[in-house]
Amino acid sequence: MNLAQQHSSEITHFSNTQHESLLRELGSSMQGLQQHAVIDRLRQYGPNTIDITRKIHPLLQFLRLFLSPLPLLLIALSLISFVTGGVTGALVIATMVFLSTGLAFLQEYKSNKAAEKLRQLVSIKVTVLRDNLEQDIPLRELVPGDLVKLSAGDLIPADLRLLSTNDLFINQSSLTGEAMPVEKVASGGDAKSIFELSNICFMGSHVVSGLGLAVVLHTASQTIFGQLAKDIVSTKKTSSFDKGIKQFIWLMIKFMAVMVPAVFLINGLIKGDWMEALLFATAVAVGLTPEMLPMLVTINLAKGAIAMSRKRVIVKRLNSIQNLGAMDILCTDKTGTLTQDEIILERYVDISGKEDEKILEYAYLNSHYQSGLKNLLDVAVLKNMDVHQKLHQDTAFEKIDEIPFDFQRRRMSVVVKQNDDLQILICKGAVEEVADCCSHSILGGKAHGISPSLKAQQQSLFAELSSEGFRVIAVAIKEIAAANANLNNHYTVADECDLTLVGYVAFLDPPKESAKPAIAELQALGIKVKILTGDNELVTQKICSEVGISVEQVLVGSQLDAMPDEGLAAIAESVSVFARMSPQQKSRVIQVLQSRGHVVGYLGDGINDGPGLKAADVSVSVDTAVDIAKESADIILLEKNLLILKDGVLEGRKVFGNIMKYIKMSASSNFGNMFSMVGASALLPFLPMAPVQILLNNLLYDFSQTSVPADNVDAEYLTEPRSWDIAHIARYMLCIGPISSLFDYATFGLLWYVLRADSLGDASLFQTGWFVESLLSQTLIVHIIRTGKVPFIQSRPSLPLLLTTSAICLIGIALPFSRLADPLQMSPLPVIYWYGLMPILLCYFGLTQFVKSMLVRRFGLT
């Protein structure tokens, strides 16, 4: 029997074992584990954690970086250079490979460590029973034998055997692929597979609705989920930016595939030295390779994550930073985002609008005796301690049963018994859903059958309260005599019928002071804020109008269901408020917006936000969210505040902007070099630059770009969403690239006609002159390409970028006069060269600035 079969057999055995026998077998009891047993089991089984990505030794992680296309290409070119006798060139290429790969490894290793520390700030808690006391513990401290209490929104923290349930529904889609929740009960039964066992819950699934008490069977890697995690690596959602980076890399490789053979053939045919032509073509191939790109991307993302953590934003997935910057629509719930998340109970009235304390008492009993996840409305009700004292002083109540909340019914009920044998079912929830279950209504202290006029009165009061900004819930009851009580006191949804509506409880959740300016700032950044809420449209309109969100058009869930995807997509772009939304409807809105080319973010913290978080391009939650929301999110806010999210958006755009600087420089420079190399190879009787000089030039240039991630980004660049645009890169390459080639030919003219470097004996002088001009021009041009403004005057670079580019330029100028000149095949440059070079560089920078300004004016900042 293999491990999987043994595990399946063990789970089946646990499913079929009686509660008492199972607890004895696990060394536990209905009072839970004692503390000394917990300590012993933590030592024995270890922490309850699973890393769904394979742990790779740092050395293997370093070696793996050499297996991507760019390092493999450079290694092959290094070997070609070495075999053909270019030892110096081979060493320079090898240095470039290890420099770029080594820096990428260090940054990736450091960023992974930093990200792990940041993720530890976001903790998932589990409610357990230990020493007969209920307590919340970190998930990692759970051990076999622990008793776990489950409620809606909880992740299943381990493999569990259920001991008791109440309408418990579990979503197992992460394990089985089945999207619909399955009901779980404490009793066992035959099943075709272990996933169909009705009394077993598996780690990796989550509670949709209901309640449960369970004992832990297995933790960590001993769970079914843990066994699967050993065989698979989690798949990452590929962003448009990831795809764009790959497109750019392959674009450069295609350029090389055309240019390198052309350079090789031209030099071989014209000059007759095929070995020298091969060395030169190899060096040209290296010069065209954007080998620093992986390292610069990693540094930028790591820098962005650290900067965001200082602003109380935790990045769980590094690649989500760019998506945050590209986001142009933010969908969010209303409660806690626009409002203060501090619900205040204001009124409790019958359908005539008169206050009636009996309504508050029924609401209190419902909130007090429910064992599911208590929301903010329940918390507000339970703050009425005088009601608690009254109810528990004169009359003793005993809880009989509970019908848990779910998002289809949008209500929940408890059944309680007073001193006598009378049982009372108290139902509390959304007004329409509770009203649908009512046949009578209290008016003037008496129950009346609900007539059309009475129904209109109910609806009028609800509309009046909602339009004033109150969140309204309905309270209804049904008195059940002992003779009519359900068998075994077990109640179901079917019992929520023939209720009597006693009245409404109205809450005030005022808007945050920061909400209106935060929304205005997000809109100024080109982000449309759309509200997706389960609340009714009247109260949603009231709050949204106060914080500056358009309420001219509101779409409710029932209208949405009647629309095809195409029609919904068209209207969803213009509508800002969606009310009475179910979790699936929220997800559908996000998907149709994505189908229109939008990058959609979703901010949510509730059970009903799971589908929306998974559908969004970038999912955002908060540290206080339910477990399933935190697990689904790419980014966690340590404070539920849109102003903090705005800071994250700006950081994402800075990261994208700095990466694009390197890409645009590499693309335009390489495209220009193609024309220069091909023309020079055809026109000159010698190589335009020695292979070792090309490699050194590329190495020095790459070093000057290592500070690009620390560069400043213009405020204007941050004012709108930035996403990958391969057409813009191609346009930039076609417009800027030939300019550099034009001034390369001007330098050739200076060297050939003025310095008279026109024979094979003067090849070193010609090559040195072009080496210096090429290095200075492509190193300094970064200061023009990095901004849409006039460099240095309207936009200043960061100090690190200024220092590295200046240092590389000084090194390039000094090399022809240093002791390294001979091994590098360089000659000292006369004074006349510098007089001639200055106007060439100035004209180059001036023309580039002019063309760049025209591109900005025509196409904007991209």
Side-chain angles (χ1 to χ4, degrees):
M1 183 183 293
N2 62 31
L3 185 61
Q5 291 173 325
Q6 181 182 344
H7 206 69
S8 178
S9 176
E10 197 173 37
I11 290 288
T12 304
H13 163 71
F14 287 140
S15 173
N16 295 328
T17 305
Q18 293 296 318
H19 293 180
E20 297 79 7
S21 302
L22 176 62
L23 290 171
R24 280 197 302 272
E25 186 176 338
L26 295 171
S28 187
S29 71
M30 290 303 292
Q31 287 74 44
L33 295 174
Q34 296 182 336
Q35 192 58 37
H36 67 84
V38 172
I39 295 171
D40 291 341
R41 295 183 188 204
L42 270 174
R43 290 197 193 101
Q44 180 181 355
Y45 297 106
N48 181 36
T49 57
I50 296 176
D51 189 351
I52 59 173
T53 56
R54 290 195 181 104
K55 290 288 186 183
I56 302 175
H57 190 278
L59 179 59
L60 292 177
Q61 195 175 348
F62 174 67
L63 294 175
R64 190 183 62 175
L65 293 175
F66 287 93
L67 299 179
S68 55
L70 296 182
L72 286 175
L73 178 62
L74 289 171
I75 290 170
L77 295 174
S78 177
L79 291 174
I80 292 172
S81 182
F82 181 79
V83 169
T84 55
V87 178
T88 305
L91 289 174
V92 173
I93 298 174
T95 302
M96 293 168 62
V97 175
F98 279 94
L99 176 66
S100 62
T101 307
L103 286 173
F105 167 74
L106 287 175
Q107 286 298 327
E108 186 174 327
Y109 184 77
K110 284 164 59 179
S111 65
N112 286 340
K113 288 290 186 183
E116 182 61 34
K117 288 181 180 178
L118 293 175
R119 279 194 291 269
Q120 290 174 5
L121 295 175
V122 182
S123 61
I124 293 177
K125 299 286 187 179
V126 182
T127 302
V128 298
L129 199 64
R130 288 179 178 173
D131 290 324
N132 208 26
L133 295 174
E134 188 176 304
Q135 52 187 288
D136 291 333
I137 64 167
L139 182 143
R140 61 182 288 110
E141 295 179 9
L142 198 68
V143 295
D146 261 324
L147 294 191
V148 178
K149 300 191 81 171
L150 301 173
S151 61
D154 287 347
L155 289 174
I156 300 300
D159 286 353
L160 310 175
R161 159 68 195 274
L162 292 166
L163 303 177
S164 65
T165 64
N166 192 343
D167 291 334
L168 183 67
F169 284 83
I170 303 293
N171 186 311
Q172 299 184 145
S173 59
S174 60
L175 296 170
T176 64
E178 174 56 52
M180 294 300 294
V182 294
E183 185 173 11
K184 297 286 185 176
V185 295
S187 56
D190 294 333
K192 295 179 181 178
S193 75
I194 58 172
F195 295 114
E196 295 178 9
L197 292 170
S198 60
N199 59 359
I200 300 292
C201 298
F202 297 98
M203 187 184 211
S205 52
H206 68 272
V207 181
V208 176
S209 63
L211 309 167
L213 177 68
V215 62
V216 176
L217 305 176
H218 296 123
T219 58
S221 60
Q222 293 303 306
T223 63
I224 293 290
F225 185 77
Q227 295 293 325
L228 293 172
K230 292 179 180 178
D231 303 323
I232 62 172
V233 176
S234 62
T235 56
K236 298 179 181 178
K237 186 164 58 175
T238 303
S239 68
S240 59
F241 181 74
D242 295 323
K243 295 174 183 176
I245 290 288
K246 290 179 181 177
Q247 287 176 352
F248 173 71
I249 289 174
W250 284 108
L251 178 65
M252 291 296 99
I253 290 175
K254 289 174 183 177
F255 267 123
M256 291 164 56
V258 174
M259 178 180 175
V260 172
V263 168
F264 171 67
L265 291 173
I266 290 171
N267 279 287
L269 291 170
I270 293 176
K271 300 171 182 63
D273 190 336
W274 289 97
M275 187 61 68
E276 185 182 61
L278 180 60
L279 280 173
F280 182 68
T282 302
V284 169
V286 174
L288 290 175
T289 306
E291 66 278 349
M292 299 299 281
L293 182 58
M295 184 269 291
L296 286 171
V297 170
T298 303
I299 291 177
N300 268 287
L301 293 175
K303 177 179 173 291
I306 293 169
M308 289 169 71
S309 70
R310 296 192 189 105
K311 297 175 181 177
R312 299 177 61 76
V313 180
I314 306 302
V315 179
K316 286 176 60 184
R317 300 175 182 92
L318 279 180
N319 282 0
S320 64
I321 295 175
Q322 188 278 328
N323 273 350
L324 191 60
M327 177 178 70
D328 62 339
I329 291 180
L330 172 65
C331 296
T332 178
D333 193 9
K334 169 178 63 66
T335 305
T337 306
L338 305 184
T339 61
Q340 294 179 8
D341 228 0
E342 295 180 3
I343 305 290
I344 304 166
L345 193 157
E346 287 283 327
R347 300 179 66 182
Y348 33 93
V349 295
D350 63 18
I351 62 168
S352 67
K354 293 180 181 178
E355 284 203 357
D356 184 349
E357 191 146 327
K358 197 68 177 174
I359 300 167
L360 177 58
E361 292 175 5
Y362 283 129
Y364 188 94
L365 288 170
N366 180 285
S367 296
H368 178 75
Y369 284 107
Q370 69 161 295
S371 50
L373 187 69
K374 287 182 169 57
N375 61 33
L376 293 170
L377 304 181
D378 294 311
V379 173
V381 170
L382 294 173
K383 285 181 179 178
N384 290 268
M385 293 306 298
D386 54 335
V387 178
H388 177 84
Q389 292 170 0
K390 176 182 176 182
L391 293 176
H392 292 81
Q393 182 177 359
D394 300 330
T395 311
F397 285 91
E398 176 190 351
K399 179 179 176 180
I400 301 301
D401 201 9
E402 177 176 350
I403 308 171
F405 179 88
D406 67 57
F407 288 98
Q408 281 69 46
R409 290 164 40 247
R410 298 177 69 205
R411 60 182 183 265
M412 67 85 51
S413 300
V414 298
V415 182
V416 297
K417 184 173 72 170
Q418 294 176 283
N419 287 330
D420 55 23
D421 290 333
L422 184 68
Q423 293 183 3
I424 306 174
L425 185 152
I426 306 170
C427 180
K428 172 167 66 58
V431 172
E432 296 88 343
E433 280 71 13
V434 172
D436 288 343
C437 302
C438 294
S439 58
H440 292 76
S441 180
I442 299 291
L443 183 63
K446 296 180 181 180
H448 299 269
I450 297 179
S451 62
S453 61
L454 205 59
K455 186 172 184 179
Q457 189 174 353
Q458 292 173 190
Q459 293 173 339
S460 175
L461 177 60
F462 170 53
E464 180 186 336
L465 292 170
S466 295
S467 63
E468 293 175 6
F470 288 108
R471 296 183 65 181
V472 184
I473 61 171
V475 180
I477 64 168
K478 179 163 71 173
E479 295 183 344
I480 307 164
N484 298 324
N486 284 12
L487 185 65
N488 299 322
N489 290 325
H490 179 66
Y491 289 81
T492 67
V493 173
D495 294 300
E496 293 178 327
C497 63
D498 293 326
L499 305 183
T500 300
L501 180 68
V502 294
Y504 299 144
V505 182
F507 303 84
L508 193 61
D509 188 9
K512 288 180 178 177
E513 291 183 6
S514 63
K516 189 169 186 176
I519 288 170
E521 289 192 37
L522 286 171
Q523 291 172 340
L525 292 174
I527 299 173
K528 294 180 181 177
V529 179
K530 296 184 182 292
I531 303 303
L532 277 58
T533 180
D535 215 337
N536 72 74
E537 63 272 24
L538 295 175
V539 67
T540 304
Q541 283 177 299
K542 170 72 173 175
I543 297 296
C544 288
S545 63
E546 291 182 12
V547 298
I549 294 177
S550 172
V551 293
E552 291 180 5
Q553 194 174 6
V554 177
L555 199 65
V556 297
S558 57
Q559 294 172 315
L560 185 144
D561 286 337
M563 295 181 180
D565 285 348
E566 297 79 10
L568 178 60
I571 197 171
E573 289 186 299
S574 59
V575 174
S576 296
V577 178
F578 299 80
R580 302 181 190 271
M581 300 284 285
S582 70
Q584 289 70 31
Q585 288 170 336
K586 292 181 180 182
S587 176
R588 186 181 171 211
V589 169
I590 291 168
Q591 289 169 346
V592 298
L593 288 170
Q594 290 169 328
S595 71
R596 287 289 181 120
H598 295 287
V599 178
V600 184
Y602 186 80
L603 171 58
D605 63 353
I607 309 162
N608 58 335
D609 292 317
L613 289 166
K614 290 182 179 179
D617 294 294
V618 56
S619 51
V620 185
S621 193
V622 291
D623 188 34
T624 54
V626 297
D627 295 345
I628 186 62
K630 286 191 285 189
E631 183 67 20
S632 303
D634 300 314
I635 291 171
I636 302 290
L637 307 181
L638 297 183
E639 182 182 338
K640 196 172 184 181
N641 190 327
L642 289 177
L643 287 173
I644 291 179
L645 185 61
K646 180 212 72 173
D647 292 335
V649 168
L650 292 175
E651 204 60 49
R653 292 180 186 178
K654 288 178 184 176
V655 167
F656 181 74
N658 281 332
I659 292 173
M660 288 304 296
K661 289 174 189 177
Y662 178 79
I663 288 175
K664 288 192 289 188
M665 286 183 288
S666 296
S668 57
S669 176
N670 290 346
F671 189 70
N673 285 340
M674 181 174 70
F675 291 108
S676 302
M677 289 291 182
V678 170
S681 298
L683 297 174
L684 298 175
F686 48 78
L687 295 178
M689 196 183 298
V692 69
Q693 293 170 355
I694 295 176
L695 297 174
L696 179 62
N697 185 303
N698 201 44
L699 180 63
L700 291 173
Y701 170 70
D702 283 342
F703 182 80
S704 74
Q705 302 309 299
T706 56
S707 57
V708 168
D711 190 26
N712 303 323
V713 179
D714 294 339
E716 290 80 2
Y717 188 86
L718 306 176
T719 57
E720 60 184 75
R722 302 294 170 186
S723 57
W724 186 267
D725 186 355
I726 195 70
H728 169 72
I729 294 172
R731 187 165 53 238
Y732 206 93
M733 182 174 66
L734 292 170
C735 293
I736 301 296
I739 298 175
S740 66
S741 184
L742 179 66
F743 287 95
D744 281 341
Y745 282 106
T747 304
F748 295 164
L750 170 68
L751 294 167
W752 186 272
Y753 295 109
V754 179
L755 269 66
R756 294 294 180 183
D758 54 4
S759 64
L760 198 59
D762 295 317
S764 176
L765 178 61
F766 188 100
Q767 293 166 347
T768 305
W770 191 31
F771 170 88
V772 172
E773 182 269 341
S774 176
L775 181 63
L776 293 181
S777 62
Q778 67 178 347
T779 301
L780 292 175
I781 202 66
V782 65
H783 294 288
I784 292 177
I785 292 178
R786 60 165 292 278
T787 176
K789 301 178 178 180
V790 178
F792 298 106
I793 298 172
Q794 295 177 329
S795 176
R796 295 182 180 179
S798 66
L799 182 61
L801 182 62
L802 190 61
L803 290 176
T804 52
T805 53
S806 299
I808 293 303
C809 288
L810 291 173
I811 290 172
I813 292 170
L815 277 175
F817 306 98
S818 70
R819 295 181 180 180
L820 296 174
D822 286 341
L824 295 175
Q825 302 175 32
M826 290 185 178
S827 300
L829 295 166
V831 174
I832 192 173
Y833 168 81
W834 301 105
Y835 279 115
L837 181 63
M838 286 301 293
I840 290 175
L841 291 177
L842 289 173
C843 290
Y844 171 48
F845 298 147
L847 183 57
T848 304
Q849 173 64 25
F850 173 76
V851 173
K852 181 202 69 177
S853 299
M854 295 296 291
L855 287 173
V856 170
R857 194 173 298 119
R858 175 66 177 83
F859 300 103
L861 292 168
T862 50

